[in-house]
Amino acid sequence: MKHLLLAATLSLTASAAFACETVTVGDLSVEHGWSKVTIGAGRPGVFYVSISNAGATDDALVGISTPAAGMPMLHETVLKDGVASMPHAMSIPVLAGQSVQLSPGGYHGMLMGLTAALKEGDSFPVTLSFEKAGEVTVNVEVLSVRAEGPDCADAEQ
Amino acid sequence: MAFMLGLGAYRTSNGPVLNADLPLSMSEMSWQLTDHRKRAVRSADWIGRSTMVFFGFTWCPDVCPTTLSDISGWLEELGPDADRLNIALISVDPDRDTPDVLAEYVANFDPRIAGLTGTPSQIAQAAEDFRVSYRKVPRDGDDYTMDHTAGVFLFYPDGRFASIIDFHEDRRFAVPKIRRALS
Ligand SMILES: [Cu+2]
C-alpha cells in the first residue's frame, strides 16, 4: 500500500518547479525543498530546505515526516577536530526575523528507510513540524547527486 | 604550521592516532588497498604524481557527496592539469563498500576519482598512515553510520604531504592549494 501511495506521489512530478514554490504557515515561509538522487533504496536520502521567520517570535523546526521514508530525522553535520559526525538535531531554531537553511554540510533531513530509490526529477512531499507555527507540507524535488540546490529564478542564495 | 608538520614526523607505530597529527609522507606509508576496478593499489604506486585523497563511505548522505561534488568542480577548474593527479576516496566502511559498490558510486562523479577499499585491517593501516580517525556509530536496528575525518589531503609528486583542504574551506583557496601540490 505504501509503495502504491509513493508511486502515485512520484508520478505526478513532471514539473521541475516544485522546489521553487514558497509555502507559508503563520509567519514562516518555507521554500527550496530539494533532495539528491540515491543509489538504491538502502542508502539514506537527504532533505534540504530554506525557512524564514517574518514574525516577532522565535520558533523551531522539531520534526519532519514523509511518505518517501520510514524513518525521517533531523540531523546536523558537525565538524570537530576535522572529524565529521551527524548527531540528531532535536530542534532547529528559526529565530524571529531570521532565516535558516538546511543545506549541504550543515542541518539536513536524513531520510532513512526510503520506500524507493530517489531518482532525478522525482518529487515527494515532506511535512515540517514547527514548535509554534504547526505543520506545513512542501514538495521536494530530487536533483542530481552533484547538485548544490534548485535553480529558482528568485533564488537569493 | 611548521610545528604541526614536526608532530607528523615522528610517531610510535601502535600509539593512538591523534587528530592533530598530519599524514605521513607517501614513501613512509605502508597501506595496500583494492580499487573499484578490483586492482591492488599500494602507497608506493602514488609516488611520482601529485595526490588528492579523502576518506568517506558511500552510505554517507551529506558530507561525502558534497566533497565529491566539490572535487569534481575543482577538477573542472584545473582543466588538463587535473590529469596529473591521483584522486581517490578511501572507504572507512569496508563492510558495505565492496569494490563493486564503490564502482557504482564513483560512476556518479568525475571519472578520474577512484574508490578504494580493503579488509578492516587494511583500512585501519591506511587510516593510521594518513592520521585519519573513523568510528562506527550505531543507529536504530542494525543500521549504523560512520564518523570520519572529512578533509581532503594533498601530496606532492615526490610523496611529501602538501596540505589539507578543510571541509568548510572557502572554495577560492582549494584550487590554488591543488596547484601548489602539482608543482
Ligand atoms: Cu544525516
Side-chain angles (χ1 to χ4, degrees):
Chain A
M1 185 58 202
K2 207 165 179 189
H3 277 275
L4 281 175
L5 202 73
L6 185 74
T9 314
L10 295 182
S11 61
L12 48 93
T13 61
S15 160
F18 272 144
C20 301
E21 293 171 354
T22 302
V23 296
T24 58
V25 55
D27 291 322
L28 305 183
S29 20
V30 181
E31 60 184 353
H32 304 156
W34 64 288
S35 181
K36 283 186 181 184
V37 165
T38 63
I39 303 173
R43 289 183 179 79
V46 278
F47 163 61
Y48 300 121
V49 73
S50 304
I51 304 159
S52 51
N53 182 350
T57 317
D58 295 344
D59 206 333
L61 177 63
V62 292
I64 49 170
S65 63
T66 174
M71 201 171 52
M73 239 177 147
L74 295 172
H75 279 182
E76 182 179 15
T77 292
V78 176
L79 266 110
K80 190 168 180 288
D81 298 327
V83 177
S85 61
M86 315 187 283
H88 176 203
M90 296 298 291
S91 155
I92 299 175
V94 188
L95 300 179
Q98 295 189 24
S99 61
V100 63
Q101 322 291 331
L102 276 63
S103 61
Y107 287 121
H108 55 275
M110 180 97 158
L111 309 179
M112 290 169 289
L114 285 178
T115 320
L118 301 179
K119 302 218 166 9
E120 192 167 349
D122 285 354
S123 115
F124 59 89
V126 170
T127 301
L128 297 88
S129 305
F130 293 99
E131 201 173 73
K132 294 184 184 128
E135 294 194 339
V136 65
T137 300
V138 291
N139 282 305
V140 175
E141 189 181 336
V142 181
L143 306 178
S144 87
V145 77
R146 281 199 58 187
E148 291 173 357
D151 227 346
C152 301
D154 66 326
E156 65 273 52
Q157 307 113 303
Chain B
M1 200 60 196
F3 168 69
M4 286 183 70
L5 280 167
L7 266 184
Y10 67 89
R11 63 176 184 125
T12 53
S13 62
N14 289 316
V17 177
L18 299 173
N19 293 330
D21 278 356
L22 292 176
L24 296 179
S25 164
M26 206 62 79
S27 58
E28 296 170 300
M29 293 190 184
S30 55
W31 53 264
Q32 176 171 343
L33 297 166
T34 303
D35 75 8
H36 65 286
R37 297 188 180 91
K38 299 192 173 100
R39 292 180 306 207
V41 181
R42 283 159 305 157
S43 37
D45 298 336
W46 281 357
I47 300 173
R49 287 157 65 93
S50 299
T51 294
M52 173 155 66
V53 61
F54 78 105
F55 286 72
F57 63 113
T58 74
W59 257 253
C60 163
D62 185 51
V63 169
C64 308
T66 303
T67 302
L68 279 160
S69 297
D70 286 348
I71 289 178
S72 301
W74 301 335
L75 297 181
E76 267 164 37
E77 217 169 304
L78 285 163
D81 286 345
D83 294 340
R84 296 193 281 127
L85 284 162
N86 305 307
I87 311 161
L89 154 68
I90 299 180
S91 175
V92 292
D93 186 9
D95 293 343
R96 291 187 293 205
D97 288 341
T98 62
D100 286 338
V101 167
L102 280 169
E104 192 182 6
Y105 188 73
V106 297
N108 292 283
F109 301 94
D110 189 291
R112 289 168 290 199
I113 305 172
L116 299 185
T117 187
T119 65
S121 67
Q122 287 177 321
I123 299 296
Q125 180 64 54
E128 190 184 334
D129 288 348
F130 284 93
R131 301 294 188 258
V132 157
S133 320
Y134 63 102
R135 188 169 70 94
K136 193 182 261 196
V137 182
R139 292 223 190 268
D140 285 2
D142 49 11
D143 193 18
Y144 63 92
T145 185
M146 306 292 302
D147 290 356
H148 60 91
T149 301
V152 177
F153 300 103
L154 295 168
F155 294 84
Y156 294 111
D158 64 5
R160 274 178 308 128
F161 170 67
S163 56
I164 295 176
I165 304 170
D166 288 323
F167 180 63
H168 280 137
E169 190 161 331
D170 193 309
R171 193 187 173 120
R172 283 171 303 166
F173 301 128
V175 171
K177 276 188 174 177
I178 302 168
R179 286 202 193 282
R180 230 170 293 135
L182 276 165
S183 60

